[in-house]
């Protein structure tokens, strides 16, 4: 009887993993592929309170940070200055033009601690056990199959790594996604929510969630 029960549990876990891996795409917004300079408006640091965001993600000198969906590298360069020469920023994007843009920007701004990564829609393709903190800034709503994506990301996280998601409430197709859906999907991918904030935009529609991989 015990063997049969254990076998049933193992089978259920296997089927759960298969179901996650085969998650059907949900409605998403088309990933932005236009002029990357639009992300560089002057008061964005102040409005987003990016220094406070980095503090809450425990981004300090020497850490390795992943900027997933890095776009123009707006956050990457700020994280690179925070972690210093002893740290690394992995600037990931699925758009080859964005990766080229960030490479050129890092060279221009003399930030040798930025490494670009060309990901794919279901996998950021970050090195295993390499990352101390992750920020997904207004990009989660563009991921069509977030559960397998976030499951793949877990293998790149070091113990205690924090994953920050900043997004806005929406239906998926309007460049936003309801917070409750994000929390549900992250739980299914094996993460636990450790904090929630709403200071990243004054209109109350944005949210900042912090997760850690479950044990």
């Amino acid at each position: 009887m015990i063997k049969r029960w254990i076998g049933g549990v193992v089978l259920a876990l296997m089927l759960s993993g298969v179901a996650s891996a085969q998650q059907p795409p949900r409605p998403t917004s088309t990933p932005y592929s236009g002029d990357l300079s639009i992300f560089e408006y002057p008061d964005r640091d102040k409005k987003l309170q990016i220094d406070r965001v980095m503090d809450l993600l425990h981004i300090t000198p020497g850490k390795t940070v992943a900027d997933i969906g890095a776009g123009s590298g707006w956050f990457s360069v700020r994280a690179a200055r925070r972690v210093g020469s002893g740290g690394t920023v992995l600037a990931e994007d699925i758009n080859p033009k964005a990766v080229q843009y960030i490479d050129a920007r890092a060279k221009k701004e003399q930030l040798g601690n930025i490494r670009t990564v060309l990901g794919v829609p279901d996998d950021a393709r970050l090195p295993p056990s390499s990352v101390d903190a992750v920020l997904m800034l207004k990009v989660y709503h563009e991921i069509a199959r977030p559960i397998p994506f976030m499951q793949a990301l877990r293998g790149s996280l070091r113990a205690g790594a924090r994953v920050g998601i900043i997004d806005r409430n929406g239906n998926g197709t309007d460049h936003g996604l309801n917070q409750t859906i994000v929390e549900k999907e992250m739980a299914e991918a094996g993460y636990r929510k450790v904090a929630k904030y709403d200071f990243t935009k004054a209109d109350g529609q944005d949210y900042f969630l912090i997760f850690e991989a479950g044990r």
Side-chain angles (χ1 to χ4, degrees):
M1 180 65 71
I2 293 177
K3 289 183 178 180
R4 184 177 299 174
W5 179 82
I6 292 174
V9 171
V10 171
L11 179 60
L13 290 172
M14 290 175 63
L15 290 174
S16 175
V18 170
S20 296
Q22 295 177 347
Q23 178 193 12
R26 61 161 164 70
T28 61
S29 303
T30 302
Y32 181 78
S33 59
D35 180 9
L36 294 172
S37 67
I38 69 166
F39 300 111
E40 305 298 322
Y41 53 89
D43 58 348
R44 193 179 188 194
D45 291 69
K46 183 178 179 180
K47 286 184 175 180
L48 194 61
Q49 299 186 51
I50 197 61
D51 286 330
R52 185 180 177 189
V53 168
M54 289 193 284
D55 288 343
L56 291 167
L57 291 176
H58 301 168
I59 296 174
T60 55
K63 294 291 184 72
T64 296
V65 179
D67 181 7
I68 293 180
S72 69
W74 181 88
F75 174 67
S76 295
V77 299
R78 286 154 178 79
R81 296 186 184 112
R82 171 71 74 99
V83 301
S85 59
T88 303
V89 174
L90 302 173
E92 183 272 350
D93 208 286
I94 63 172
N95 181 356
K97 291 183 178 179
V99 169
Q100 293 170 6
Y101 186 99
I102 297 170
D103 278 331
R105 181 174 188 172
K107 184 176 180 180
K108 180 180 179 180
E109 300 193 28
Q110 298 182 337
L111 293 169
N113 58 348
I114 294 179
R115 289 176 49 201
T116 53
V117 179
L118 181 62
V120 294
D122 281 352
D123 190 348
R125 291 184 168 175
L126 303 181
S129 303
S130 63
V131 177
D132 299 297
V134 175
L135 182 62
M136 302 176 71
L137 177 55
K138 300 294 182 75
V139 71
Y140 188 92
H141 62 264
E142 295 180 351
I143 302 174
R145 296 183 346 114
I147 295 174
F149 183 95
M150 298 307 299
Q151 287 175 330
L153 179 66
R154 287 184 61 181
S156 299
L157 302 179
R158 290 176 175 155
R162 292 197 146 195
V163 177
I165 296 176
I166 296 177
D167 223 305
R168 61 179 291 275
N169 284 303
N171 62 19
T173 63
D174 57 356
H175 297 284
L177 187 67
N178 284 345
Q179 176 185 324
T180 53
I181 295 176
V182 176
E183 292 176 350
K184 177 178 180 294
E185 291 174 343
M186 289 294 286
E188 290 184 38
Y191 293 80
R192 61 184 182 90
K193 186 178 71 177
V194 297
K196 178 184 72 172
Y197 303 93
D198 61 2
F199 63 80
T200 53
K201 198 171 183 181
D203 64 4
Q205 287 300 304
D206 281 20
Y207 50 83
F208 174 30
L209 306 175
I210 300 178
F211 298 88
E212 292 181 357
R215 295 181 179 179

